[in-house]
Amino acid sequence: MNRSGPLRIAVIGAGRMGADHVRRIDRVVSGARVTAVVDIDAGRARTVAAGVDGCTAHTDPAAAMAAADVDAVLVASPGPAHEAAVLAAFEHDLPVLCEKPLTPDAASALRVMEAEQALGHRRVQVGFMRRYDAEYVQLKALLGTGRLGRPLMLHNRHRNVAGPSFFTSSMLISDSVAHEVDATRWLLGHEITAVTVLRPTPSEGAPVGLADPQFVVLETDGGALSDVEIFVNCGFGYQVQAEVVCERGTARIGDGHALVTNVAGHWGGTIAQDWTDRFAQAYDDEVRTWVDTTRRGEVTGPGAWDGYAAAAVCEAGVRALEEGGRVEVDLVEKPALYR
Amino acid sequence: MNRSGPLRIAVIGAGRMGADHVRRIDRVVSGARVTAVVDIDAGRARTVAAGVDGCTAHTDPAAAMAAADVDAVLVASPGPAHEAAVLAAFEHDLPVLCEKPLTPDAASALRVMEAEQALGHRRVQVGFMRRYDAEYVQLKALLGTGRLGRPLMLHNRHRNVAGPSFFTSSMLISDSVAHEVDATRWLLGHEITAVTVLRPTPSEGAPVGLADPQFVVLETDGGALSDVEIFVNCGFGYQVQAEVVCERGTARIGDGHALVTNVAGHWGGTIAQDWTDRFAQAYDDEVRTWVDTTRRGEVTGPGAWDGYAAAAVCEAGVRALEEGGRVEVDLVEKPALYR
Amino acid sequence: MNRSGPLRIAVIGAGRMGADHVRRIDRVVSGARVTAVVDIDAGRARTVAAGVDGCTAHTDPAAAMAAADVDAVLVASPGPAHEAAVLAAFEHDLPVLCEKPLTPDAASALRVMEAEQALGHRRVQVGFMRRYDAEYVQLKALLGTGRLGRPLMLHNRHRNVAGPSFFTSSMLISDSVAHEVDATRWLLGHEITAVTVLRPTPSEGAPVGLADPQFVVLETDGGALSDVEIFVNCGFGYQVQAEVVCERGTARIGDGHALVTNVAGHWGGTIAQDWTDRFAQAYDDEVRTWVDTTRRGEVTGPGAWDGYAAAAVCEAGVRALEEGGRVEVDLVEKPALYR
Amino acid sequence: MNRSGPLRIAVIGAGRMGADHVRRIDRVVSGARVTAVVDIDAGRARTVAAGVDGCTAHTDPAAAMAAADVDAVLVASPGPAHEAAVLAAFEHDLPVLCEKPLTPDAASALRVMEAEQALGHRRVQVGFMRRYDAEYVQLKALLGTGRLGRPLMLHNRHRNVAGPSFFTSSMLISDSVAHEVDATRWLLGHEITAVTVLRPTPSEGAPVGLADPQFVVLETDGGALSDVEIFVNCGFGYQVQAEVVCERGTARIGDGHALVTNVAGHWGGTIAQDWTDRFAQAYDDEVRTWVDTTRRGEVTGPGAWDGYAAAAVCEAGVRALEEGGRVEVDLVEKPALYR
C-alpha cells in the first residue's frame, strides 16, 4: 500500500460496535472512508451503508472484499464469525483490524496465525483498544523508563454498571477479563503461565446464578502477579483501574486523576508544561465543530460580539493595570444580530 | 453551503498556530481539507502548503479567498492582521474561524461587527477554544442545570511555565487574561462592567520590569465577581483552573481530576456509566493509528499472537472458574513472524 | 512557674466555647486541671463546674483569680469582656490564654499591650488556633524551607454551612476573616497594610440584608496579596482552604488531602515514612479509650477471642506460605464469654 | 473499678513500643498515670521510669502487679512474653491492654482464653489499634449503615519503607498481615476460613532470601474475599489502604484523602459540617501546647501584638466594607516586648 487517497475500508458487522466504527471512520478519523458495510442482516447493512456517501451494502464478507474499492477490512461481527472473516481477508491479502476476541478459542486463533504465517507477513491487528488509551500509554511509558524498577504486581479493577442479559459466568472471563489479560501481557511484557479464579458470594445485584463478582489471579513467566476484580453488575458506574507495584514505587491509572505515582516519599503526578498538552483536544473539537456547523451553513460558536466584548474588557484592564484603581467597561448596545 | 464534499479551507497565517491548524485539518478532523495557505512570508506558505495534497501557497489573503476551491477561511495570522483578513472574507461572504483576539482593540472589533451586520448574517467565529474543552463544557452544563443555584463568584488560575520573551505587562491582560474574560462571560452569561488589576511584588522568576504575577478582579452586570490570578512565569507548569461558587455549592475544574463539586455535604464527581464514555478517545486513537499505519503498509498494533495468547489464557481462566484451583496456561512456541 | 503538679486553670466564660475548653482540660489534655469556672450566669458556672472534681464556680473573674489554687487563666467569655479579664489576670501576673479576638477593637488591644509591657514580660496568648492545625503547620514549615521561593499571593476560602442568626455584615470581617488576617500575617511573616472588600450580589441562602459572601483583598508590607472568600451561608459544609503561590511553586491545604504542592512539573504530596506518623492518633485514641472504659469497669475493645482468631489465621497463613496452596483455618467453637 | 482518681498503670516492656506508651500515658492521655515500668533489662526499666513522677522500676512483672498502686496493666514486651504477663495480670484480676499479638500462636492464645473464662469476665484487650483509626472507624460505620449493601471483597495494601533486619518471610504474615487479618474480621464481621499466599518474584530492594512482597487471599465464612498486598521493603513510604467492594458501591481509605466512596454514579467524600470537626485537633493541640509551655514558664504562641494587629486590620476591613474602596491599616510601632 502507500496510496495518496483515503484508505477504503469494508466494515464487517453492522451491530452496535460495527455501526460505531462506521461513524468513526466517516466523521472522526481523517484519511479513510467506508466503502462497504457487511452484515448477515441485509436490512441492517443497508441502513448503516445509507448514511455514508458511496458506500455499498453486502451480506457476504468475501464479496465485499473482492470489490475493487476495498483497501482494508474492519471486523466487528460476533466473535464466532471472526475466523472466517479474517481468513477471507487474508485471501485478498488485505490488512484487517479485528475487534477482540481475535477468535473465541485458542485452537481457532492458532489457525489464523498459521494462515498469516503462510502469507509471510503480518496482516491482522486485534482490537485491544486499551493500548491506545492515554492513561495506559502513560503507564506503559513510565514502566519503560525503568524509574520504578521491575514490576512485581499489577492490581486491576474492572467494573460495569450492569452486564448484558445474555452474560454467563464464563463470559466474565472470556469477554471482560480478556482486556486485563492483554493489558497484563502488554504492560509487563510477560506471558501468563497460570490462572486462578476465586468466587466470592455473588452480589444480589447480579442475575441469579451468575458468579459476579469474580477475583482472578494471573501468574506470569516474569514472576509477576496480576490480580483482577471483575464485577459486571456493580451498579454504580464503569470503572477500569490499574496499579502497578514495582521495586521502587507504584503507579496507578483510572482514578479520575491521570497517572498517579508513589515514589521516593512522594505521591502525585505530572503537570502539563504547555497549553498544547492541556488544550489539544479542545482545539481539535473546536475546529471539528466549526467544520461540521459550517458545512451545515450554521454559526454556533463565539462570534464577533464576544470578540468585541473581550477587546473592550482587556482595554479597560490594561488601563487599570497602568493607572491603578477600578476601571469601568463601556460597551455599545448589543446589536440585534448578536442577541 | 451544505455541500456533500469536504469543506475546503484557506488558512491565513503559517506560523506556529496556523501550521498546527493545517496539520489538524489535514490529519485529525474529517470532512475538511486545506486548499490554500497564506503567509506574508512566501517561503513559509510554500513549506506548509507542500505538506498537503492539492494545496496552493499565497502571500495575499484576498487572492486566496477569490479562488474557486475555497469554502471557508481560518485566520491565524498575528492579531493586527485579523481585521483586514476577516473583512476580506466578508467580501466573499465566506465563513471565518478567527483565532483570538478577533482584533487587538475594541474600535477595530466594532468595525468588524458593523461589516458583519451589513452582510446581514453571522459569518465569523472567534477562537475562544476553552468553550470546547471537555471540563469547561461540563462546568457550563452543570451551571445550566441550576442545581448549584445562581453563580456568585468565579476564581480563576492561569499559570504558564515561562512567558515569551516579548511579553509586556499589559499583554498579561490582553493575551492571557483575555481567555478568562471570555470564560467569565460565557460561563456566567454576564457582561463585565469593571476591572481592577492588583500587582503583588513581581516574582524574581519573571524578567526584570514585568509585572508578573497580577491579580485581576472582574465585576459583572449580574452582580458576580470573577478573580484571576495570572502568572506567566510560574516555573512549574501550565495550569488553568476555575472554581465557580454558587448559592448552593461550588464546582471546580482543572485540578487533574475532571469536574469536582461541593454540594449538600459532599465533595466529588461523577463516574462514567459506560465504556463508550471512558474509552471513546482510545477507540478513536486506535482506528486513527491503524488507518495511518495501514496507509504506510505497516502493522504496529497487537497482532494474531496477542489474540491467540489472550484466547489461551481465557480458556484456562474459564476452566479455573468451572473446576476451581489453579490452571496452567499452555502456549505453543512463539512463531518467528511474531517475535 | 515550673511546678511539678498539674497546671491549675480558671476558665472565664462557661458558654459553648468555655464549656468545651473545660471538657478539653479535664478529659483530653494531660498536665492540667480546671479549678475554677467563672460566668456572669451563676447557674451556668455551677453546672459546668459540677462536672469537674474539685472545681469551684464563680461570677466574678477577679475573685476566681485571687484563689490560691489558680496558676493560669483561660478567657472564653464574649469579646467585649476580654479586656477586663485579661487586665485582672495581669494584676495577679497570671498567664492567660484568651480566645480570639483579644479585644473587639484596636484601641482596647493597645491598652492590653500597654498593661503587658508594664508587667515587663509576655503573659497573654491569643486563641488563633489555626497556628496549631497540622496542615497550617505543614504549610508554614514548607514556606520556611524556602524551597518554593518567596510567597507572592495567598488565596483563602472560608465557608460555613450557615451563620449564626445574630451575624451582621461587618461580623463576616471581624469574626470570620479575622482568622485569615492572622493566618496571612503568620504564614507570610508580613504585616497587612491595606484592605479592600468587594460585595457580589448576596446569596439567596443568606438572611435578607446580609452581605454574604464577601471577597476581601489584603495587601502586605512584604508586597504580597492575600485574598479571602468569606461565605458564611454556603449551605454545603465547613471549608477552610489556603493556597500560597510562591516564586517557584504553590502549596495548598484544606482540600481533604493534606498539603498538596505544585513544583517543578509535579503536583502531589508526601507519604508517611513510618507507622508512627500514620497511626499516632490511633494509638492515642486506643489508649485513651482503654483508660476511659477501664475506669468505668468495661472492656469494649478487641479481646482474647480476636487475639486467638488472628493467631490461628496467621498460623494457617505461614503454612500456606511455606507449603503453597490453600490452607483452611480451624477455629475452636466461640466460647460464650466472647459472643 | 470506677475510681475517681487517675488509672494507675504498670507498663510491661520498656522497649520502643513500651516507652512510647509510657510517654503517651504521661503526656498525652488524661485520667491515667504510669506507676510502674517493668523490663528484664533493669537499666532500661529505670531509665524509662525516671522520666515519670512517682513511677517505680521493676524486672519482674508479677512483683509490679502485686503493688498496691496498680489498677491496670499495659503489656508491650516481645510477643513470646505476653502469655506469662497476661496470666499474671489475671491472677490479680487486673485489666490488661496487650500489644498485638496476644500470643505468638493459637495454642497459647487458647490458654489465655481459658484463663479469662475461668475468671468469669473479660479482662484483656488486644492492641489492634487500627480499630481506633479515624478512617477505619468511618469505614466500619459506613458498612454498618447498609447503604452500600453487603461487602463482597476487601482489597488491602500494606507497605513499609524497609522491614527490620530480623524480619523473616513468615513474619510478613504473622507480624504484618496480622493487622489485615484483624481488620478483615472486624470490618466484615466474618471469621476467616482459609488462607492462600502467593509469592511473586521478590523485589531486589528486599534482603536476599526474603519473600517480599507477598499476596495473601483470605476467605471468610460470610463468603467474602479479602486480598492483601504486603510489601515491607517498598522503599517509598508507609502506606495502609483498604477498599471494600459492596453490592451497591465501594469505599476506600488510606489514600491521603479520608474516606472516598463510589456509589450511584458518584465518587467522593463528605465535607465537615462544623468547625469543631475540622479543627478539633487544633484546639486540643493549642491548649496542650499552652499548658506545656506555661508550666515551663514560657509564652510561645500568638501574643497581644497579634491580637492588636488583627483588631486593627479588621477595623479597616469593616470600614472598607461600609465605605467601599481600599482602606489603609495604621499600626503603632511594634513595642520591643513583641519583637
Side-chain angles (χ1 to χ4, degrees), chain C residues 31-53:
Chain C
R33 58 196 189 86
V34 180
T35 50
V37 170
V38 184
D39 201 285
I40 49 169
D41 177 337
R44 192 155 65 174
R46 274 197 306 271
T47 302
V48 172
V52 180
D53 275 345

PDB file of all heavy atoms in Angstrom, chain C residues 31-53:
ATOM      1  N   GLY C  31      -1.728  17.014  82.312  1.00  0.00           N
ATOM      2  CA  GLY C  31      -0.884  18.042  82.916  1.00  0.00           C
ATOM      3  C   GLY C  31      -1.628  19.289  83.359  1.00  0.00           C
ATOM      4  O   GLY C  31      -0.999  20.292  83.706  1.00  0.00           O
ATOM      5  N   ALA C  32      -2.944  19.275  83.321  1.00  0.00           N
ATOM      6  CA  ALA C  32      -3.693  20.467  83.744  1.00  0.00           C
ATOM      7  C   ALA C  32      -5.025  20.043  84.328  1.00  0.00           C
ATOM      8  O   ALA C  32      -5.517  18.949  84.055  1.00  0.00           O
ATOM      9  CB  ALA C  32      -3.925  21.394  82.543  1.00  0.00           C
ATOM     10  N   ARG C  33      -5.579  20.915  85.196  1.00  0.00           N
ATOM     11  CA  ARG C  33      -6.968  20.686  85.600  1.00  0.00           C
ATOM     12  C   ARG C  33      -7.672  22.013  85.833  1.00  0.00           C
ATOM     13  O   ARG C  33      -7.029  23.042  86.051  1.00  0.00           O
ATOM     14  CB  ARG C  33      -7.067  19.766  86.823  1.00  0.00           C
ATOM     15  CG  ARG C  33      -6.351  20.216  88.046  1.00  0.00           C
ATOM     16  CD  ARG C  33      -6.225  19.024  89.023  1.00  0.00           C
ATOM     17  NE  ARG C  33      -5.714  19.481  90.301  1.00  0.00           N
ATOM     18  CZ  ARG C  33      -6.474  19.971  91.301  1.00  0.00           C
ATOM     19  NH1 ARG C  33      -7.783  20.058  91.170  1.00  0.00           N
ATOM     20  NH2 ARG C  33      -5.916  20.408  92.426  1.00  0.00           N
ATOM     21  N   VAL C  34      -8.991  21.982  85.741  1.00  0.00           N
ATOM     22  CA  VAL C  34      -9.783  23.196  85.912  1.00  0.00           C
ATOM     23  C   VAL C  34     -10.151  23.302  87.387  1.00  0.00           C
ATOM     24  O   VAL C  34     -10.782  22.406  87.941  1.00  0.00           O
ATOM     25  CB  VAL C  34     -11.066  23.151  85.053  1.00  0.00           C
ATOM     26  CG1 VAL C  34     -11.873  24.431  85.240  1.00  0.00           C
ATOM     27  CG2 VAL C  34     -10.712  22.925  83.597  1.00  0.00           C
ATOM     28  N   THR C  35      -9.736  24.395  88.023  1.00  0.00           N
ATOM     29  CA  THR C  35     -10.033  24.563  89.448  1.00  0.00           C
ATOM     30  C   THR C  35     -11.115  25.611  89.686  1.00  0.00           C
ATOM     31  O   THR C  35     -11.663  25.696  90.779  1.00  0.00           O
ATOM     32  CB  THR C  35      -8.757  24.956  90.220  1.00  0.00           C
ATOM     33  OG1 THR C  35      -8.150  26.059  89.534  1.00  0.00           O
ATOM     34  CG2 THR C  35      -7.785  23.785  90.279  1.00  0.00           C
ATOM     35  N   ALA C  36     -11.414  26.421  88.664  1.00  0.00           N
ATOM     36  CA  ALA C  36     -12.467  27.430  88.821  1.00  0.00           C
ATOM     37  C   ALA C  36     -13.130  27.690  87.488  1.00  0.00           C
ATOM     38  O   ALA C  36     -12.465  27.743  86.452  1.00  0.00           O
ATOM     39  CB  ALA C  36     -11.866  28.732  89.368  1.00  0.00           C
ATOM     40  N   VAL C  37     -14.456  27.834  87.519  1.00  0.00           N
ATOM     41  CA  VAL C  37     -15.204  28.237  86.332  1.00  0.00           C
ATOM     42  C   VAL C  37     -15.960  29.517  86.683  1.00  0.00           C
ATOM     43  O   VAL C  37     -16.584  29.602  87.739  1.00  0.00           O
ATOM     44  CB  VAL C  37     -16.198  27.147  85.899  1.00  0.00           C
ATOM     45  CG1 VAL C  37     -17.147  27.662  84.826  1.00  0.00           C
ATOM     46  CG2 VAL C  37     -15.441  25.922  85.399  1.00  0.00           C
ATOM     47  N   VAL C  38     -15.872  30.508  85.788  1.00  0.00           N
ATOM     48  CA  VAL C  38     -16.491  31.809  86.049  1.00  0.00           C
ATOM     49  C   VAL C  38     -17.502  32.111  84.938  1.00  0.00           C
ATOM     50  O   VAL C  38     -17.196  31.939  83.764  1.00  0.00           O
ATOM     51  CB  VAL C  38     -15.421  32.929  86.042  1.00  0.00           C
ATOM     52  CG1 VAL C  38     -16.060  34.267  86.425  1.00  0.00           C
ATOM     53  CG2 VAL C  38     -14.259  32.579  86.960  1.00  0.00           C
ATOM     54  N   ASP C  39     -18.682  32.542  85.332  1.00  0.00           N
ATOM     55  CA  ASP C  39     -19.638  33.035  84.328  1.00  0.00           C
ATOM     56  C   ASP C  39     -20.559  34.041  85.012  1.00  0.00           C
ATOM     57  O   ASP C  39     -20.881  33.883  86.192  1.00  0.00           O
ATOM     58  CB  ASP C  39     -20.447  31.878  83.728  1.00  0.00           C
ATOM     59  CG  ASP C  39     -21.044  32.266  82.371  1.00  0.00           C
ATOM     60  OD1 ASP C  39     -22.040  33.034  82.363  1.00  0.00           O
ATOM     61  OD2 ASP C  39     -20.504  31.821  81.338  1.00  0.00           O
ATOM     62  N   ILE C  40     -20.985  35.080  84.285  1.00  0.00           N
ATOM     63  CA  ILE C  40     -21.903  36.041  84.920  1.00  0.00           C
ATOM     64  C   ILE C  40     -23.213  35.359  85.260  1.00  0.00           C
ATOM     65  O   ILE C  40     -23.948  35.803  86.126  1.00  0.00           O
ATOM     66  CB  ILE C  40     -22.176  37.277  84.018  1.00  0.00           C
ATOM     67  CG1 ILE C  40     -22.543  36.832  82.594  1.00  0.00           C
ATOM     68  CG2 ILE C  40     -20.990  38.230  84.013  1.00  0.00           C
ATOM     69  CD1 ILE C  40     -23.074  37.972  81.733  1.00  0.00           C
ATOM     70  N   ASP C  41     -23.502  34.258  84.547  1.00  0.00           N
ATOM     71  CA  ASP C  41     -24.688  33.449  84.868  1.00  0.00           C
ATOM     72  C   ASP C  41     -24.249  32.382  85.880  1.00  0.00           C
ATOM     73  O   ASP C  41     -23.585  31.405  85.533  1.00  0.00           O
ATOM     74  CB  ASP C  41     -25.202  32.810  83.569  1.00  0.00           C
ATOM     75  CG  ASP C  41     -26.387  31.883  83.799  1.00  0.00           C
ATOM     76  OD1 ASP C  41     -26.566  31.387  84.928  1.00  0.00           O
ATOM     77  OD2 ASP C  41     -27.123  31.635  82.819  1.00  0.00           O
ATOM     78  N   ALA C  42     -24.609  32.608  87.157  1.00  0.00           N
ATOM     79  CA  ALA C  42     -24.115  31.744  88.241  1.00  0.00           C
ATOM     80  C   ALA C  42     -24.530  30.291  88.031  1.00  0.00           C
ATOM     81  O   ALA C  42     -23.766  29.350  88.306  1.00  0.00           O
ATOM     82  CB  ALA C  42     -24.640  32.244  89.591  1.00  0.00           C
ATOM     83  N   GLY C  43     -25.745  30.084  87.509  1.00  0.00           N
ATOM     84  CA  GLY C  43     -26.228  28.709  87.295  1.00  0.00           C
ATOM     85  C   GLY C  43     -25.371  27.986  86.279  1.00  0.00           C
ATOM     86  O   GLY C  43     -25.004  26.823  86.455  1.00  0.00           O
ATOM     87  N   ARG C  44     -25.042  28.699  85.211  1.00  0.00           N
ATOM     88  CA  ARG C  44     -24.226  28.094  84.155  1.00  0.00           C
ATOM     89  C   ARG C  44     -22.836  27.741  84.695  1.00  0.00           C
ATOM     90  O   ARG C  44     -22.309  26.682  84.404  1.00  0.00           O
ATOM     91  CB  ARG C  44     -24.140  29.056  82.970  1.00  0.00           C
ATOM     92  CG  ARG C  44     -23.577  28.426  81.738  1.00  0.00           C
ATOM     93  CD  ARG C  44     -24.029  29.133  80.470  1.00  0.00           C
ATOM     94  NE  ARG C  44     -23.507  30.491  80.405  1.00  0.00           N
ATOM     95  CZ  ARG C  44     -23.662  31.281  79.324  1.00  0.00           C
ATOM     96  NH1 ARG C  44     -24.344  30.852  78.274  1.00  0.00           N
ATOM     97  NH2 ARG C  44     -23.174  32.503  79.319  1.00  0.00           N
ATOM     98  N   ALA C  45     -22.275  28.649  85.491  1.00  0.00           N
ATOM     99  CA  ALA C  45     -20.960  28.376  86.079  1.00  0.00           C
ATOM    100  C   ALA C  45     -21.034  27.129  86.959  1.00  0.00           C
ATOM    101  O   ALA C  45     -20.165  26.256  86.903  1.00  0.00           O
ATOM    102  CB  ALA C  45     -20.485  29.587  86.900  1.00  0.00           C
ATOM    103  N   ARG C  46     -22.067  27.038  87.795  1.00  0.00           N
ATOM    104  CA  ARG C  46     -22.196  25.879  88.694  1.00  0.00           C
ATOM    105  C   ARG C  46     -22.351  24.577  87.898  1.00  0.00           C
ATOM    106  O   ARG C  46     -21.760  23.558  88.233  1.00  0.00           O
ATOM    107  CB  ARG C  46     -23.405  26.074  89.613  1.00  0.00           C
ATOM    108  CG  ARG C  46     -23.080  26.879  90.877  1.00  0.00           C
ATOM    109  CD  ARG C  46     -24.154  26.705  91.945  1.00  0.00           C
ATOM    110  NE  ARG C  46     -25.489  27.022  91.442  1.00  0.00           N
ATOM    111  CZ  ARG C  46     -26.041  28.256  91.479  1.00  0.00           C
ATOM    112  NH1 ARG C  46     -25.364  29.273  92.011  1.00  0.00           N
ATOM    113  NH2 ARG C  46     -27.247  28.467  90.993  1.00  0.00           N
ATOM    114  N   THR C  47     -23.182  24.600  86.851  1.00  0.00           N
ATOM    115  CA  THR C  47     -23.408  23.386  86.050  1.00  0.00           C
ATOM    116  C   THR C  47     -22.092  22.869  85.464  1.00  0.00           C
ATOM    117  O   THR C  47     -21.778  21.684  85.538  1.00  0.00           O
ATOM    118  CB  THR C  47     -24.388  23.689  84.895  1.00  0.00           C
ATOM    119  OG1 THR C  47     -25.598  24.179  85.463  1.00  0.00           O
ATOM    120  CG2 THR C  47     -24.670  22.433  84.072  1.00  0.00           C
ATOM    121  N   VAL C  48     -21.327  23.781  84.874  1.00  0.00           N
ATOM    122  CA  VAL C  48     -20.073  23.341  84.243  1.00  0.00           C
ATOM    123  C   VAL C  48     -19.075  22.899  85.305  1.00  0.00           C
ATOM    124  O   VAL C  48     -18.405  21.870  85.162  1.00  0.00           O
ATOM    125  CB  VAL C  48     -19.504  24.463  83.347  1.00  0.00           C
ATOM    126  CG1 VAL C  48     -18.105  24.113  82.847  1.00  0.00           C
ATOM    127  CG2 VAL C  48     -20.446  24.719  82.174  1.00  0.00           C
ATOM    128  N   ALA C  49     -18.975  23.647  86.404  1.00  0.00           N
ATOM    129  CA  ALA C  49     -18.017  23.293  87.466  1.00  0.00           C
ATOM    130  C   ALA C  49     -18.366  21.953  88.097  1.00  0.00           C
ATOM    131  O   ALA C  49     -17.473  21.190  88.506  1.00  0.00           O
ATOM    132  CB  ALA C  49     -17.987  24.390  88.533  1.00  0.00           C
ATOM    133  N   ALA C  50     -19.638  21.652  88.148  1.00  0.00           N
ATOM    134  CA  ALA C  50     -20.074  20.417  88.818  1.00  0.00           C
ATOM    135  C   ALA C  50     -19.532  19.167  88.130  1.00  0.00           C
ATOM    136  O   ALA C  50     -19.396  18.106  88.753  1.00  0.00           O
ATOM    137  CB  ALA C  50     -21.597  20.357  88.861  1.00  0.00           C
ATOM    138  N   GLY C  51     -19.202  19.294  86.854  1.00  0.00           N
ATOM    139  CA  GLY C  51     -18.717  18.120  86.124  1.00  0.00           C
ATOM    140  C   GLY C  51     -17.255  17.809  86.390  1.00  0.00           C
ATOM    141  O   GLY C  51     -16.714  16.826  85.878  1.00  0.00           O
ATOM    142  N   VAL C  52     -16.576  18.659  87.165  1.00  0.00           N
ATOM    143  CA  VAL C  52     -15.130  18.508  87.344  1.00  0.00           C
ATOM    144  C   VAL C  52     -14.812  18.368  88.830  1.00  0.00           C
ATOM    145  O   VAL C  52     -15.226  19.217  89.632  1.00  0.00           O
ATOM    146  CB  VAL C  52     -14.392  19.740  86.764  1.00  0.00           C
ATOM    147  CG1 VAL C  52     -12.888  19.607  86.948  1.00  0.00           C
ATOM    148  CG2 VAL C  52     -14.764  19.940  85.296  1.00  0.00           C
ATOM    149  N   ASP C  53     -14.068  17.339  89.200  1.00  0.00           N
ATOM    150  CA  ASP C  53     -13.665  17.149  90.598  1.00  0.00           C
ATOM    151  C   ASP C  53     -12.917  18.363  91.149  1.00  0.00           C
ATOM    152  O   ASP C  53     -11.942  18.809  90.523  1.00  0.00           O
ATOM    153  CB  ASP C  53     -12.685  15.952  90.702  1.00  0.00           C
ATOM    154  CG  ASP C  53     -13.445  14.648  90.821  1.00  0.00           C
ATOM    155  OD1 ASP C  53     -14.655  14.683  91.102  1.00  0.00           O
ATOM    156  OD2 ASP C  53     -12.803  13.602  90.590  1.00  0.00           O
TER     157      ASP C  53
END
